[in-house]
Amino acid sequence: MSTVNPRRWWALLVLAAAQFMVIMDTSIIGVALPEMQRDLGFTQGDLQWVFNAYVIAFGGLLLLGGRLSDLLGARRIFASGWVVMIAGSIVAAAATTAWIEVVGRAVQGVGGALIAPASMTLLMMLFGHDPKELGRALAFYGAAAPAGGTAGVFLGGVFTEWMSWPWVFIIYIPIGIATLLATRLLPAVQSRRGSVDVLGAVSVTAGLALAVFAIVRAPEVGWGETETVLELVGAAALLILFFLIQRSVRAPLMPLGVWRTPGLGPSNLAMTLLGAAWIPMWYFLNLYLQQVLGYGAFASGAALLPMTVLLMIFMTAITAKLMARFGAKPLIAGGLLVLALGLVWLSAVEPTGTFAVDVLPASLVAALGMSLAYIPTLMSAISGVQQEQAGLASGIVNTTYQVGSALGLAALTALATSQGAGKLGNLPALTDGFSAAFIAAAGIAASGALLTALLMRGKKAAAAQAEEPTAQSYGESVGA
């Protein structure tokens, strides 16, 4: 049981701000991509790696970050992650060639992989003593992630329009330094003995990277070509190797026994599909605004600001109350279904459309679905684990979201390109491609809603589990 920390709410501000910035780093570069492409010489196909280099390093190393957090102390890993993030931001901002930019983005992703699980461990230490406080803290912390993803599009537009694209990276330098100075508000944790599964970390990161690489290149190379098939088989072999390693080593990155925790499997499946639907949505919506409606960088970012406002309001003031009353399962399934409906509505975009008719109402419906599903999914995933495994559980759920985001974006980009999204200047073809991506994303979200309804336990079942002597219940008291 954690000792009550009198500065815990100030510490929560530091952790939520860190979560906001880490997730924003996956989206802030969106509206800056055309400028970066022109200045750094990216090809149209390789431009995705500005996004995917970060996501692969982030998602692939989150489990390692969680393990290091548990062994070396969460505050120490949190601070180390910000040092790495600052270094990557300097490289990305100063890049003069495409490959240096990709390296800088990957280094930023490594920093994020250290920050995110350490943040969750620290949050559990600060608020694990009181389930009600924990619920409020998780709601505030959880709201920072999707809000950061959406706000990044807006801020990227501000920097790109009025300054220059390197500022989307320069902004992390003073913020990182300020965060390092604020780490004194966070509780200190003693390190403990243990080993690190380096081979496991290498295999899972390489497998994810190869899978995304294959999917990104498949439209150009051909899905049925030997090269694509071998890459996908190699990716699958690396991921299988990762699970075999986890079964055989003494101190695995992801002890497979953790999956016996009630709710962890279905919650992570839901989080994977949530990321696979949500991230492609804002990616293609931003392209529709700029390439079809003709919006500039700032106007495109501002057009997505209403989604950010709705997300913050619902996640901080409403979703936690709904979860306490109804439990996680109805909100996750219902939120994914609402997200799917918003995406179907977005698929009706027209080449001669307008923001007020084609974008605003549908995007708000999609944001409502996200705001209903995200926090309950997060809380359901971590509610049953022991406190010393909080870093591991956080790493797993963040990994599944990032993996879903990367694979979803790669697959839907391939689909959109095949349907006309690669024909710049041809507005009907572009719109057809984006519409196809929205429909596919809706299908992903709807499948998530269905699987949640079938696989996840309801509130009554969770309550029954909490009464068992072996249950870990600090999250179940709020309906997880």
Side-chain angles (χ1 to χ4, degrees):
M1 186 70 67
S2 301
T3 302
V4 177
N5 188 319
R7 300 187 296 180
R8 61 192 180 280
W9 296 106
W10 290 106
L12 177 62
L13 288 177
V14 176
L15 297 176
Q19 175 77 336
F20 182 94
M21 297 302 295
V22 166
I23 301 301
M24 190 176 76
D25 209 6
T26 65
S27 63
I28 195 170
I29 49 88
V31 295
L33 288 176
E35 300 289 334
M36 296 170 67
Q37 182 178 16
R38 186 183 66 245
D39 290 350
L40 300 179
F42 280 100
T43 66
Q44 185 70 18
D46 290 340
L47 190 60
Q48 289 185 62
W49 286 102
V50 179
F51 175 84
N52 281 332
Y54 179 91
V55 170
I56 290 170
F58 185 19
L61 295 175
L62 272 167
L63 293 174
L64 178 61
R67 176 64 174 167
L68 292 175
S69 176
D70 291 338
L71 289 178
L72 303 180
R75 188 170 76 173
R76 183 178 302 168
I77 295 302
F78 181 85
S80 300
W82 274 107
V83 172
V84 176
M85 177 70 78
I86 291 170
S89 300
I90 293 172
V91 173
T96 56
T97 63
W99 74 267
I100 294 177
E101 183 63 44
V102 171
V103 169
R105 289 290 288 161
V107 173
Q108 283 188 308
V110 174
L114 297 175
I115 294 168
S119 297
M120 183 58 69
T121 299
L122 290 164
L123 187 147
M124 288 296 180
M125 292 178 59
L126 289 164
F127 296 97
H129 65 280
D130 185 338
K132 290 184 178 179
E133 280 198 1
L134 178 62
R136 290 196 294 269
L138 282 171
F140 188 81
Y141 179 82
T150 306
V153 179
F154 171 72
L155 294 177
V158 171
F159 293 134
T160 305
E161 185 84 10
W162 291 340
M163 302 170 80
S164 60
W165 66 260
W167 280 92
V168 303
F169 305 115
I170 292 172
I171 188 62
Y172 282 87
I173 299 172
I175 291 174
I177 294 172
T179 304
L180 287 172
L181 294 175
T183 54
R184 67 181 185 276
L185 295 171
L186 304 175
V189 186
Q190 291 185 345
S191 59
R192 57 189 180 90
R193 300 178 63 180
S195 59
V196 177
D197 178 17
V198 176
L199 185 57
V202 171
S203 62
V204 69
T205 305
L208 293 174
L210 188 56
V212 173
F213 181 74
I215 295 172
V216 168
R217 294 178 68 246
E220 179 182 352
V221 176
W223 286 97
E225 293 298 319
T226 302
E227 186 176 349
T228 302
V229 173
L230 288 177
E231 288 168 351
L232 291 173
V233 170
L238 285 168
L239 294 175
I240 291 172
L241 174 62
F242 168 72
F243 283 101
L244 293 175
I245 292 170
Q246 302 315 288
R247 293 186 60 183
S248 59
V249 299
R250 178 174 299 179
L253 277 182
M254 186 180 68
L256 298 183
V258 75
W259 290 101
R260 291 194 292 270
T261 302
L264 186 65
S267 298
N268 277 276
L269 177 59
M271 189 65 89
T272 302
L273 298 174
L274 186 61
W278 176 257
I279 294 300
M281 184 211 74
W282 70 254
Y283 182 86
F284 288 109
L285 185 56
N286 179 59
L287 292 181
Y288 173 75
L289 289 167
Q290 290 197 57
Q291 296 179 356
V292 177
L293 299 189
Y295 281 35
F298 173 74
S300 176
L304 300 178
L305 188 58
M307 289 201 302
T308 304
V309 174
L310 187 147
L311 282 166
M312 292 301 296
I313 291 174
F314 264 80
M315 286 192 173
T316 58
I318 299 174
T319 302
K321 294 180 181 179
L322 292 175
M323 186 173 174
R325 180 173 180 180
F326 299 107
K329 179 177 178 177
L331 291 185
I332 298 172
L336 283 163
L337 184 59
V338 172
L339 174 58
L341 293 174
L343 286 162
V344 170
W345 195 344
L346 278 174
S347 71
V349 290
E350 296 285 347
T352 57
T354 64
F355 169 72
V357 174
D358 293 74
V359 175
L360 180 60
S363 66
L364 290 177
V365 171
L368 174 62
M370 178 62 164
S371 67
L372 291 174
Y374 184 85
I375 291 176
T377 307
L378 176 66
M379 293 181 70
S380 180
I382 66 175
S383 64
V385 300
Q386 299 178 3
Q387 187 165 337
E388 59 268 24
Q389 289 186 310
L392 171 63
S394 173
I396 292 173
V397 73
N398 276 286
T399 296
T400 56
Y401 183 80
Q402 296 301 327
V403 169
S405 300
L407 295 179
L409 180 59
L412 297 191
T413 296
L415 173 65
T417 301
S418 70
Q419 298 299 311
K423 299 177 181 178
L424 295 179
N426 186 331
L427 301 189
L430 284 171
T431 306
D432 287 344
F434 300 151
S435 178
F438 290 138
I439 282 289
I444 293 172
S447 65
L450 177 61
L451 290 171
T452 297
L454 293 175
L455 300 177
M456 186 170 286
R457 300 165 59 169
K459 186 174 182 180
K460 291 182 179 180
Q465 175 69 23
E467 294 175 357
E468 297 177 11
T470 58
Q472 303 297 322
S473 61
Y474 58 79
E476 292 170 322
S477 61
V478 291

